[in-house]
Amino acid sequence: MKTSFAGLAPAPAFQPLYRQIKQLITELLESGEWRPGEAIPSEIDLAQRFSVSQGTVRKAVAELAGENVLVRRQGRGTFVASHSHARAHLSFLHVTPDRGRAERLEARLVDLKRVRADATSAGLLGLDPGGTLIRLRRLLWINGRGPVVLEEVRLPASAFRGLDATVAEAHRCMLYSMYEAAFGVKVVAAEERLKAVAADADTAHMLGVCAGDALLRIERVAYTYGGKPVELRRGFCNTRFHHYANALS
């Protein structure tokens, strides 16, 4: 079906045309027209579909590729980014060994239950206070060493219907690939906050440290297309042999 650019809702006058095309492509991704791992049409085809120049489409696609929403593969085309391949499990992991780099991530489910959303969680996820959340806890091993991180993850139950311990373990508790494959939820961006904290008794026991030892707390809000929040995460990291690393550009 041809989508005419003329049929789009009016955009702010200050928004460049390629940004409007970028938004339209994002909306089509969100609707599921092109699934993670699939190729999107060529720039020529998209230009014809949206009734704009190929250069305009190229700029829109380039920006989405720069945001890791799309992936360009030389000689093959442009594909929707996916968390399904092995190293994708590491793409949002900023905890890395002091020596070498993170090559392998393993996860073990601690527990999974349904809880009521507190005001803070509801606000960050755009839910009504008291709505139902899925609370999941897991331990992470990096390169076979660990456990290094204890994470508590909160998800809106309405977006993850049917998620239980059996489903999580069937996906080896690799969350972003599970969201994508089992629930059609694609994480494309995240914001994190870091703070040094002292380990409480339960966290210390889980991570094999002493109560009161210093840990790095990493709080994350993850977003799907359109900047919609879909996950809250709080991780406690034992930094004895690991550190937090982030590349800035």
Side-chain angles (χ1 to χ4, degrees):
M1 181 178 71
K2 182 178 175 68
T3 303
S4 171
F5 182 72
L8 291 176
F14 61 84
Q15 189 176 33
L17 181 57
Y18 82 91
R19 285 282 177 85
Q20 297 177 49
I21 297 302
K22 174 188 173 184
Q23 178 62 33
L24 182 55
I25 293 172
T26 300
E27 290 171 0
L28 291 171
L29 290 168
E30 187 175 9
S31 73
E33 175 144 347
W34 307 303
R35 304 291 295 171
E38 291 182 353
I40 68 169
S42 69
E43 292 175 358
I44 293 175
D45 289 341
L46 289 174
Q48 293 176 345
R49 177 171 181 173
F50 301 142
S51 301
V52 297
S53 71
Q54 186 178 346
T56 298
V57 171
R58 183 176 297 118
K59 289 183 68 175
V61 168
E63 197 158 286
L64 287 167
E67 295 170 0
N68 298 316
V69 174
L70 299 175
V71 178
R72 283 173 159 165
R73 296 176 181 163
Q74 187 67 33
R76 296 181 57 193
T78 301
F79 295 77
V80 183
S82 172
H83 295 288
S84 63
H85 61 87
R87 287 205 61 82
H89 300 312
L90 303 172
S91 59
F92 281 85
L93 179 70
H94 293 150
V95 177
T96 192
D98 291 340
R99 296 182 179 181
R101 64 175 186 169
E103 297 283 357
R104 188 171 78 258
L105 180 67
E106 301 168 63
R108 181 182 302 168
L109 182 67
V110 175
D111 55 41
L112 186 154
K113 62 177 67 174
R114 278 164 170 71
V115 299
R116 292 295 178 187
D118 58 85
T120 299
S121 297
L124 290 171
L125 288 170
L127 305 174
D128 293 328
T132 304
L133 297 177
I134 297 171
R135 193 204 75 171
L136 175 155
R137 292 195 302 165
R138 69 174 185 168
L139 287 164
L140 301 181
W141 280 253
I142 299 173
N143 296 353
R145 167 169 269 175
V148 177
V149 184
L150 170 66
E151 292 185 328
E152 179 183 296
V153 177
R154 295 184 176 229
L155 307 166
S158 59
F160 296 90
R161 298 184 188 278
L163 175 56
D164 57 17
T166 300
V167 174
E169 290 173 342
H171 288 269
R172 298 181 295 116
C173 215
M174 294 298 174
L175 300 184
Y176 287 1
S177 59
M178 179 185 72
Y179 299 168
E180 181 182 297
F183 303 99
V185 176
K186 176 72 167 61
V187 170
V188 298
E191 296 175 346
E192 292 187 334
R193 299 191 307 173
L194 311 180
K195 190 177 182 67
V197 297
D200 61 32
D202 182 57
T203 302
H205 174 72
M206 292 277 192
L207 292 175
V209 300
C210 296
D213 280 0
L215 300 175
L216 181 64
R217 187 179 72 196
I218 306 171
E219 296 181 332
R220 175 188 297 177
V221 182
Y223 302 89
T224 188
Y225 300 119
K228 180 181 178 181
V230 291
E231 179 203 69
L232 302 181
R233 183 182 301 212
R234 175 177 287 181
F236 295 91
C237 176
N238 177 5
T239 59
R240 183 178 180 186
F241 300 110
H242 296 77
H243 63 274
Y244 182 95
N246 193 14
L248 303 178
S249 60

